[in-house]
Amino acid sequence: MNETPPSGSGEAQALGRELSDWRAWAARLVIIGFAVLSGLAVIGLTWLSEAALRAFFSLHTEQPWLVLIWTPALTTGIVWLTRRWAPGAAGSGIPQVLAAQHEAIEPGQRSRFVSLKLSVAKVLLTSGGLLAGLSTGREGPSVQVAAGVMHHARRWLPERSHINERGLLVAGGAAGVAAAFNTPLGGVMFAIEELSRRPEDRASGLLIAAIVIAGLVAVSAHGSGTYFGRIQVEAFGWGLLLPGLAVTLACGLSGGLFSRLLSWSLSPGTDRFRRFRQAHPCWFAAACGLAVAGIGLASSGSSFGSGYQVTRQMLEGQDATQGLDTLLRFLTTWLSAICGVPGGIFAPSLTMGASIGHEVASLTADPKPVLIAIGMAAFLAAVTQAPITAFIIVMEMVDGHAMVLSLMGAAMLAAALSRLIARPLYETLARQMVATVVPRTKKAPALADASGDDVAEAVSRR
């Protein structure tokens, strides 16, 4: 006589297998531990960057003309140190994380783009750039810092673990965004939209948990407040349709132009400008630093630094910008990005978008916080061409849940306009980095998924 097995025996067996799988539990503990370390590393970068900014603005207040010596001298020193000891730390850090995931990159070559050494260097050198007064941000560098820490977890994972190096890089990079902006949801979306091209990496619940944990570590250190404080943004009404559209179009076009200008400036070329940048990097850095200092003095200091304080003042209703300040910020951010120092463009992009929204609001007498928030989302989406990430980050930063649809629409439209003007910035720079590492004999098969004339030309120049 056949007996029916007792109810729940299958579940009990599954639970027993789950509890007895020590490798799975060891992997979970390693990932959670390194997620916490990633969050702590970004907190360290945040603290050091803010201290550097305070020190620079104190110098600028007490001896404003001294920045004409201080900024170019420190910029030159940072570029020299970067090229001498940590060339992989230069720039934003997001292209490095993308390049490290490329299938043409061998496991032994990934340390050129992400490692604990580069994470430490990124923290120190990014803070140095802000100490110089350059218009850079710490959010992009946070991606490389956290990815380097998380990537180190591979050494501690048990054999035959289902978590691969690419998954660690995606989780680490997204954890950096979550911790830097205090936006765990934005970090998850950044992993899906910008960092990962593989569905298996996106679907890992453990890696998503690591992103959230890193964000929670940042929340525990900075509190549960948003990036710009509890700033209430009104809902978007029909009366703001035309001003909002004007802000979106202006940010989409200017953000696309900014992205195209950066791509051109940072790519190899035979014109005089780029030949000088490649042949004399330290002299080029000194010239950029001097130009940033001069522009900063002309703007009464508003174009120095990441722009966080300026953006917050605008959201709080203060007239923090005047006249040509948006254009001056555009120039100083471009110069800071191409001079060779480690530093990102997220925070300056938010400031430029906020400034455009502020100017339109001043002309139309419409509520400034609403148009400023739209400008922030639109400009960031145009530069990164990651619209979902952009609107979620801005929504979480300004407590603007009432503006979900308007922020989403502005980000989508601005990103679409940007695509008509420029290729995706981070992807383009990542391909160029891959082209400098991959041997010429591997060009055809290895770069098949990274089609583009810029990659082929870069490899052929080797």
Coordinates of all heavy atoms in Angstrom, one line a residue, residues 236 240 244-245 247-248 251 353 369-379 394 403 406-407 410-411:
F236 N 4.0 68.9 -10.2 CA 4.1 69.6 -11.5 C 2.7 69.8 -12.0 O 2.0 68.8 -12.3 CB 5.0 68.8 -12.4 CG 5.3 69.4 -13.7 CD1 6.4 70.2 -13.8 CD2 4.5 69.3 -14.8 CE1 6.8 70.8 -15.0 CE2 4.8 69.9 -16.0 CZ 5.9 70.7 -16.1
L240 N 3.1 74.7 -15.5 CA 4.5 74.7 -15.7 C 5.0 73.8 -16.9 O 6.1 73.6 -17.0 CB 5.1 74.0 -14.4 CG 5.0 74.8 -13.1 CD1 5.5 74.0 -11.9 CD2 5.9 76.1 -13.2
G244 N 8.7 74.0 -18.0 CA 9.4 72.7 -17.8 C 10.0 72.2 -19.1 O 11.1 71.6 -19.1
L245 N 9.2 72.4 -20.2 CA 9.7 71.9 -21.5 C 10.9 72.7 -21.9 O 11.9 72.2 -22.5 CB 8.6 72.0 -22.5 CG 8.9 71.5 -23.9 CD1 9.3 70.0 -23.9 CD2 7.8 71.8 -24.9
V247 N 13.1 74.1 -19.9 CA 14.3 73.7 -19.1 C 14.8 72.3 -19.7 O 16.0 72.1 -19.8 CB 13.9 73.5 -17.7 CG1 15.0 72.8 -16.8 CG2 13.6 74.9 -17.1
T248 N 13.9 71.4 -20.0 CA 14.3 70.1 -20.5 C 15.1 70.2 -21.8 O 16.1 69.5 -22.0 CB 13.0 69.2 -20.7 OG1 12.4 69.1 -19.4 CG2 13.4 67.8 -21.2
C251 N 18.5 71.7 -21.2 CA 19.4 70.8 -20.5 C 19.8 69.6 -21.5 O 20.9 69.2 -21.4 CB 18.7 70.3 -19.3 SG 18.6 71.5 -17.9
G353 N 22.5 71.7 -14.3 CA 21.1 71.6 -14.6 C 20.2 72.5 -13.7 O 19.2 73.1 -14.1
P369 N 12.0 75.7 -7.1 CA 12.4 74.4 -6.8 C 11.9 73.3 -7.8 O 12.7 72.4 -8.1 CB 11.8 74.1 -5.4 CG 11.7 75.5 -4.8 CD 11.3 76.4 -6.0
V370 N 10.8 73.5 -8.4 CA 10.2 72.6 -9.3 C 11.1 72.5 -10.6 O 11.5 71.5 -11.1 CB 8.8 72.9 -9.7 CG1 8.3 72.0 -10.8 CG2 7.9 72.8 -8.5
L371 N 11.3 73.7 -11.2 CA 12.1 73.8 -12.4 C 13.6 73.4 -12.2 O 14.3 72.9 -13.0 CB 12.0 75.2 -13.0 CG 10.6 75.6 -13.5 CD1 10.6 76.9 -14.1 CD2 10.0 74.5 -14.5
I372 N 14.1 73.7 -11.0 CA 15.5 73.4 -10.7 C 15.6 71.9 -10.6 O 16.6 71.3 -11.1 CB 15.9 74.0 -9.3 CG1 16.0 75.5 -9.5 CG2 17.2 73.4 -8.8 CD1 16.2 76.3 -8.2
A373 N 14.6 71.2 -10.0 CA 14.7 69.7 -9.9 C 14.6 69.1 -11.3 O 15.3 68.1 -11.6 CB 13.6 69.2 -9.0
I374 N 13.7 69.7 -12.1 CA 13.6 69.2 -13.5 C 14.9 69.4 -14.3 O 15.4 68.5 -15.0 CB 12.5 69.9 -14.2 CG1 11.1 69.4 -13.7 CG2 12.5 69.7 -15.8 CD1 9.9 70.2 -14.3
G375 N 15.6 70.5 -14.1 CA 16.8 70.8 -14.7 C 17.9 69.8 -14.3 O 18.7 69.3 -15.1
M376 N 17.9 69.5 -13.0 CA 18.9 68.5 -12.4 C 18.8 67.2 -13.1 O 19.7 66.6 -13.6 CB 18.8 68.4 -10.9 CG 19.2 69.7 -10.2 SD 18.6 69.7 -8.5 CE 19.5 68.3 -7.8
A377 N 17.5 66.7 -13.1 CA 17.3 65.4 -13.7 C 17.6 65.4 -15.2 O 18.2 64.4 -15.8 CB 15.8 64.9 -13.5
A378 N 17.2 66.4 -15.9 CA 17.4 66.5 -17.4 C 18.8 66.6 -17.7 O 19.3 65.9 -18.7 CB 16.6 67.7 -17.9
F379 N 19.6 67.4 -17.1 CA 21.0 67.6 -17.4 C 21.8 66.3 -17.1 O 22.6 65.9 -17.9 CB 21.6 68.8 -16.7 CG 22.9 69.3 -17.4 CD1 22.9 70.3 -18.2 CD2 24.1 68.7 -17.1 CE1 24.0 70.8 -18.9 CE2 25.3 69.1 -17.7 CZ 25.2 70.2 -18.6
V394 N 17.6 62.0 -8.6 CA 17.1 63.4 -8.2 C 15.8 63.3 -7.4 O 15.7 64.1 -6.4 CB 16.8 64.2 -9.5 CG1 16.2 65.5 -9.2 CG2 18.1 64.4 -10.3
M403 N 6.8 64.5 -7.9 CA 7.2 64.9 -9.3 C 7.7 63.7 -10.1 O 8.4 63.9 -11.1 CB 8.3 65.9 -9.2 CG 7.9 67.3 -8.7 SD 9.3 68.4 -8.7 CE 9.6 68.5 -10.5
S406 N 6.9 63.9 -14.0 CA 7.5 65.1 -14.6 C 9.1 64.9 -14.7 O 9.7 65.2 -15.7 CB 7.2 66.4 -13.9 OG 7.5 66.3 -12.5
L407 N 9.7 64.4 -13.6 CA 11.1 64.1 -13.6 C 11.4 63.0 -14.6 O 12.4 63.1 -15.4 CB 11.6 63.7 -12.2 CG 11.6 64.8 -11.2 CD1 12.0 64.2 -9.8 CD2 12.5 65.9 -11.5
A410 N 11.1 64.5 -18.2 CA 12.2 65.4 -18.5 C 13.5 64.6 -18.8 O 14.2 64.9 -19.7 CB 12.4 66.3 -17.4
A411 N 13.8 63.6 -17.9 CA 15.0 62.8 -18.1 C 14.9 62.0 -19.4 O 16.0 61.9 -20.1 CB 15.1 61.8 -16.9

